[in-house]
């Protein structure tokens, strides 16, 4: 769903007549809801693989035919590669009629070397999504590499047909429901009592609670539905989006549904697996409950639901014991328009945790400034230089502007110290 | 423009005793009679339609209630197609518009396996200074290595 910002962003440009999407056929349900698309083309993955088993050349003619069918005699003026796979890296320049410079994203160049058109993608390739190193939301790095501004909206367009169906299906709801997406966890495995949460949440808020799951992940939600008597709505992507639009909020684990919720503007409370907010699934208007020494209790999550979805006043005392076990992170858009997570001011967090937030924000600013060709923010980087972190070690080896600045600065500081000693 | 139907469909060669309509024939399949298959196996030129179907990776299929001879002939035809000489495959590639691949296949050592990587290496373009550059066909062949 991160592609939504890119398809929407490119369609908004006045010099763009059409935006077409090429994807594997298995991604058809998600591709069909993306905004700004003039057309989308589904390449049959299973079919190509089946041909490949017949003999080496069998999928060749089919792939050639597929690309010919998509482009005809008129290649695309610009190709945005939203994949980091070698397959897409080889294909992208073909779609651009061999014009390698017309490809934004990762590409295998004419000499067979792997190249990234934007340093943000090199950063992602080199640093991955390890929260100890990376400080950017996954979708921000893709937006940057696709030449879409960071603040671009990825909101899905209205879908009156699906909205109408969802309205009929939920006609008996007196109030907007609370959706629960427990993911694929096995009961008791993640330490959070989903069944207890559902029962208490229904009783406390008086709202209908509906279980939802991604395609193929229905078994756990079905089992929960049986034990709690809760309704379950394992709907296709389009209809899930419509249901999310009608919901008061989504409580769940980071994943496809939480990203979809981000794209339709539904507030979320996400129970995260790690102490940092998940970079691959950051979306605005969400609260990430990150474990430090345990899991939140059901009562604490219900209190967050009341505060975040229903805008009720919850005394901060309700979270005093939670703050010892978990860290609450709120996903926000910073001044630079990058997505970041910060501990809310009302959450009882240590000075060290808050300093980490500030450090991450400073890194984001430093990297963004260097990628945009601006002067590195000296003051901020001097502060960062004092933090002996893995991020600094890696940034020192960056081949771009930021790495150069850090190395120069360290050399300067070292020389000045030597002079003083002399 | 859109992806043509023949790409979306699973390719198939349907072998039958007599020509005719059978609802079990997969859509778009190349239908071959036993007689025609026998003539191909015995050395007649490969019909273009049958060649294309094989080039696309079509498996030879027949009706489950077909006479055992049909199944026998189907297996023979499949073995015959699998043993096509690179030069014959080159003809099919030419007809499909894959000129560089066809040229590479014409010079292919018979009986040596045709691999995509080796074929890609032989279908590269050349820059002015003689360096190998990936063209369309080489790119597609290499891409398929990462399918």
């Amino acid at each position: 769903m991160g592609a939504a910002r890119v398809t929407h962003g490119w369609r908004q440009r006045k010099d763009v007549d059409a935006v077409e999407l090429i994807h594997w056929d298995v991604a058809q349900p998600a591709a069909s809801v993306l905004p700004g698309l003039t057309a989308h083309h589904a390449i049959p993955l299973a079919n190509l693989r089946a041909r490949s088993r017949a003999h080496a050349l069998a999928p060749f003619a089919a792939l050639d035919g597929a690309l010919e069918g998509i482009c005809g005699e008129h290649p695309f003026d610009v190709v945005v590669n939203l994949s980091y796979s070698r397959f897409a890296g080889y294909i992208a320049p073909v779609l651009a009629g061999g014009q390698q410079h017309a490809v934004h994203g990762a590409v295998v160049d004419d000499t067979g070397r792997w190249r990234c058109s934007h340093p943000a993608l090199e950063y992602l390739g080199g640093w991955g999504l390890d929260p100890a190193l990376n400080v950017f939301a996954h979708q921000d790095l893709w937006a940057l590499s696709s030449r879409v501004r960071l603040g671009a909206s990825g909101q899905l367009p209205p879908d009156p047909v699906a909205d109408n169906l969802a309205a009929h299906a939920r006609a008996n709801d007196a109030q907007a429901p609370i959706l629960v997406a427990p993911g694929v966890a096995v009961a008791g495995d993640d330490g959070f009592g989903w069944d207890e949460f559902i029962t208490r949440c229904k009783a406390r808020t008086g709202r209908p609670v509906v279980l939802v799951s991604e395609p193929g992940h229905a078994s756990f939600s079905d089992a929960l539905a049986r034990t709690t008597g809760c309704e379950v709505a394992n709907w296709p992507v389009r209809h899930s989006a419509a249901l999310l639009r009608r919901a008061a909020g989504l409580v769940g684990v980071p994943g496809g549904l939480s990203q979809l919720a981000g794209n339709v503007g539904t507030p979320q409370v996400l129970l995260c697996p790690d102490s940092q907010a998940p970079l691959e699934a950051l979306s605005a208007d969400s609260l990430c409950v990150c474990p430090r020494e345990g899991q939140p209790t059901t009562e604490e999550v219900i209190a967050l639901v009341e505060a975040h979805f229903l805008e009720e006043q919850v005394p901060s005392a309700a979270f005093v014991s939670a703050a010892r076990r978990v860290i609450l992170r709120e996903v926000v858009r910073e001044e630079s328009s990058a997505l970041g997570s910060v501990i809310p001011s009302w959450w009882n967090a240590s000075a060290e945790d808050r300093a980490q937030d500030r450090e991450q924000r400073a890194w984001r600013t430093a990297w963004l400034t260097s990628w945009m060709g601006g002067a590195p923010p000296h003051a901020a980087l001097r502060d960062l230089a004092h933090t002996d972190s893995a991020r600094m070690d890696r940034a020192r080896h960056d081949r771009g502007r930021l790495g150069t600045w850090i190395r120069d600065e360290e050399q300067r500081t070292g020389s000045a110290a030597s002079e003083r000693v002399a | 423009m859109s992806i043509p139907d023949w790409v979306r469909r699973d390719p198939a060669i349907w072998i039958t005793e007599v020509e005719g309509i059978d609802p079990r024939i997969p859509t778009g399949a190349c239908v071959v009679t036993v007689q025609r298959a026998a003539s191909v196996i015995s050395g007649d030129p490969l019909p273009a339609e049958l060649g294309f179907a094989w080039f696309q990776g079509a498996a030879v299929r027949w009706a489950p209630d077909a006479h055992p001879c049909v199944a026998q002939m189907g297996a023979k035809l499949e073995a015959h197609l699998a043993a096509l000489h690179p030069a014959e495959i080159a003809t099919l590639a030419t007809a499909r518009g894959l000129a560089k691949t066809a040229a590479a296949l014409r010079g292919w050592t018979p009986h040596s396996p045709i691999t995509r990587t080796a074929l890609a290496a032989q279908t590269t373009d050349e820059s002015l200074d003689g360096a190998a550059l990936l063209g369309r066909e080489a790119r597609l062949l290499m891409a398929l290595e990462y399918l």
Side-chain angles (χ1 to χ4, degrees), chain A residues 252-275:
Chain A
V253 292
L257 269 170
S258 69
Q259 288 184 44
L260 187 63
N263 285 101
V264 297
T266 308
Q268 303 173 65
V269 172
L270 298 177
L271 306 190
C272 301
D274 301 311
S275 60

Side-chain angles (χ1 to χ4, degrees), chain A residues 121-165:
Chain A
L121 216 49
E122 278 180 19
Y123 175 96
L124 179 63
W127 298 42
L129 289 171
D130 179 358
L133 294 172
N134 194 344
V135 288
F136 284 99
H138 197 195
Q139 56 165 306
D140 276 351
L141 294 173
W142 283 109
L144 283 166
S145 78
S146 309
R147 311 280 168 179
V148 169
R149 62 189 173 81
L150 277 180
S153 153
Q155 291 285 300
L156 301 187
D159 185 343
V161 177
D163 286 344
N164 198 10
L165 279 169

